[in-house]
Amino acid sequence: MQYLLGERGRRQLDLLAGTPTLYAFDFDGTLAKIVPHRQDARLTRSIREELIELGTRAVTAVVSGRSVADLQARVAGAAPYLIGNHGLEGPHVAPQVMRRAREICDVWKRQIENGFGAELARAEVSVEDKTYSLAFHYRASGRKSEARGLVCTMLAELRPLPRTLPGRNIVNAIPVGAPHKGVALLELMLQLNCTAALYVGDDETDEDVFSLPAPRIVTVRIGKKEPSAAKFFLERQSEITALLRYLVRA
């Protein structure tokens, strides 16, 4: 794992500038700081301005676990392409796939309400319905380990069994076989005729992109962490502004 803004990383960024490249970023923890209340996450003025400027020179996208509707309100046109629900929601997904995911989530919600609703409330776990996936947030819980254990136990009893994707104080439930962030990135590259990509993310939910066996995709993790399949890292989220400025100049 190499530092992206070091000599080797900058050389890699310069190479991308000379080829049709998709520049894609996760939202929470990457473009926006992690905040106590997820509804307060937003782009700073400097990041928004640099992202817009980059978009005038290259193809840009935001690939997030949030729903597309949620992203639209927060990104507000700073990037033209939005992929939501961990890769399950966007122009690359067939309508029947999204319809099936919505039906499965409706089944899960009924099971949760009938069997686990009271327990989740006592454990201070909030359930976010993103239409095509569910997210279980326990950041506000005073007993995070117990809350996480309850969520994992509950998810193991849902039918059909979901794919679980952990994040920071959150566990996501996604229909098995649904397109993930890696699939979404590859499909978007194909649709936009991009032969290379830069992807920046910050946690386990981004490993579906980091682990792609594709040397033409430069992967970057916020925070150096082992094991991670990302090729490069940034020390902290605040370095995103410096990265965007470098990309604009390149």
Side-chain angles (χ1 to χ4, degrees):
M1 217 179 198
Q2 300 287 322
Y3 180 52
L4 183 65
L5 296 180
E7 182 179 352
R8 181 180 174 187
R10 290 174 186 264
R11 285 202 306 267
Q12 186 69 71
L13 295 176
D14 292 342
L15 289 174
L16 290 178
T19 190
T21 298
L22 169 63
Y23 295 90
F25 306 87
D26 179 37
F27 187 78
D28 294 276
T30 302
L31 289 176
K33 293 181 180 179
I34 296 292
V35 292
H37 303 288
R38 62 184 183 275
Q39 63 269 24
D40 295 333
R42 61 182 179 86
L43 300 178
T44 63
R45 176 180 295 181
S46 60
I47 288 177
R48 177 180 297 280
E49 290 175 349
E50 296 295 341
L51 187 60
I52 291 172
E53 185 63 29
L54 178 62
T56 67
R57 303 159 189 258
V59 182
T60 58
V62 177
V63 183
S64 172
R66 291 178 181 263
S67 68
V68 167
D70 192 345
L71 285 176
Q72 287 172 335
R74 298 174 196 284
V75 175
Y81 298 98
L82 304 179
I83 303 296
N85 274 281
H86 304 284
L88 177 51
E89 186 184 11
H92 63 292
V93 185
Q96 60 268 28
V97 173
M98 297 177 69
R99 182 171 59 251
R100 177 57 178 159
R102 184 175 63 246
E103 292 170 352
I104 290 174
C105 285
D106 287 341
V107 171
W108 287 342
K109 286 185 291 183
R110 288 194 294 271
Q111 294 177 24
I112 292 166
E113 183 178 351
N114 294 332
F116 295 93
E119 288 182 78
L120 291 173
R122 284 195 295 270
E124 298 177 284
V125 175
S126 63
V127 183
E128 181 184 5
D129 178 8
K130 296 185 286 186
T131 305
Y132 308 106
S133 71
L134 301 179
F136 300 84
H137 300 268
Y138 55 92
R139 182 179 299 276
S141 175
R143 303 185 303 276
K144 288 184 171 58
S145 60
E146 293 179 24
R148 182 185 179 90
L150 172 62
V151 170
C152 292
T153 298
M154 177 205 64
L155 292 177
E157 295 189 20
L158 294 183
R159 294 296 181 270
L161 196 66
R163 178 194 179 202
T164 58
L165 194 60
R168 297 183 183 182
N169 297 312
I170 181 177
V171 180
N172 300 280
I174 305 167
V176 171
H180 55 61
K181 284 185 176 183
V183 170
L185 188 73
L186 292 173
E187 288 292 334
L188 198 57
M189 290 173 65
L190 183 63
Q191 290 179 9
L192 300 174
N193 296 315
C194 293
T195 57
L198 172 76
Y199 181 81
V200 188
D202 73 303
D203 65 15
E204 288 79 0
T205 66
D206 299 297
E207 291 295 331
D208 285 329
V209 180
F210 297 159
S211 59
L212 288 173
R216 60 202 173 111
I217 300 176
V218 177
T219 52
V220 185
R221 193 184 196 283
I222 304 294
K224 186 176 183 181
K225 182 178 179 180
E226 301 293 349
S228 173
K231 300 168 186 173
F232 294 91
F233 73 94
L234 292 173
E235 294 283 1
R236 57 191 66 86
Q237 185 274 335
S238 59
E239 289 185 306
I240 280 290
T241 305
L243 170 60
L244 291 170
R245 286 174 179 162
Y246 187 89
L247 293 175
V248 168
R249 291 197 302 270

